[in-house]
């Protein structure tokens, strides 16, 4: 899913922060709320002694949903934060993004 609206980035108390467009933020919150519901559902399945393979299938679906959220955030991060920092001559962001990729790929 492409992020069509440019996202703004500001510094708060000397820490980096980003402000996502309202459309992106709403999309992310909807997805995260759905994931939260999936987690509650998984807990319920375990409480009901549901067959293990069925629970694992639900866990897999939840992980895929989380990966989808991460992809949206990563796309926005690269298109805005990373590009902006490179334009400012801050090439340390390249090491940061490589570390981020490594963290995501471990999963």
């Amino acid at each position: 899913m492409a992020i069509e609206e440019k996202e703004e980035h500001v510094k708060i108390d000397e820490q980096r922060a980003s402000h996502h467009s309202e459309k992106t933020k709403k999309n992310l919150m909807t997805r995260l709320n759905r994931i939260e519901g999936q987690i509650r559902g998984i807990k319920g399945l375990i409480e009901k002694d549901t067959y293990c393979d069925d629970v694992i299938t639900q866990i897999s679906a939840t992980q895929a949903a989380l990966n989808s959220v991460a992809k949206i955030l990563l796309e926005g991060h690269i298109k805005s934060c990373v590009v902006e920092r490179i334009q400012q001559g801050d090439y340390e962001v390249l090491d940061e993004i490589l570390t981020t990729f490594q963290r995501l790929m471990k999963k």
Side-chain angles (χ1 to χ4, degrees), residues 89-103:
D90 181 1
Y91 295 98
E92 289 179 19
V93 71
L94 296 175
D95 290 330
E96 177 185 285
I97 196 70
L98 289 173
T99 300
T100 300
F101 277 123
Q102 290 171 352
R103 273 195 312 257

Side-chain angles (χ1 to χ4, degrees), residues 74-95:
L74 185 60
E75 180 181 345
H77 181 58
I78 291 169
K79 287 182 174 180
S80 55
C81 300
V82 173
V83 169
E84 181 180 300
R85 287 178 60 189
I86 289 172
Q87 288 173 341
Q88 294 172 354
D90 181 1
Y91 295 98
E92 289 179 19
V93 71
L94 296 175
D95 290 330

Side-chain angles (χ1 to χ4, degrees), residues 27-68:
N27 180 17
L28 292 169
M29 295 307 294
T30 298
R31 289 170 182 268
L32 290 169
N33 287 335
R34 192 173 305 126
I35 292 165
E36 189 175 30
Q38 287 176 298
I39 297 293
R40 283 193 302 273
I42 292 167
K43 287 171 64 177
L45 293 175
I46 291 171
E47 287 173 352
K48 295 177 195 171
D49 294 322
T50 302
Y51 185 63
C52 296
D53 191 59
D54 295 337
V55 177
I56 291 168
T57 298
Q58 291 304 312
I59 290 170
S60 177
T62 304
Q63 287 173 326
L66 274 172
N67 286 340
S68 179

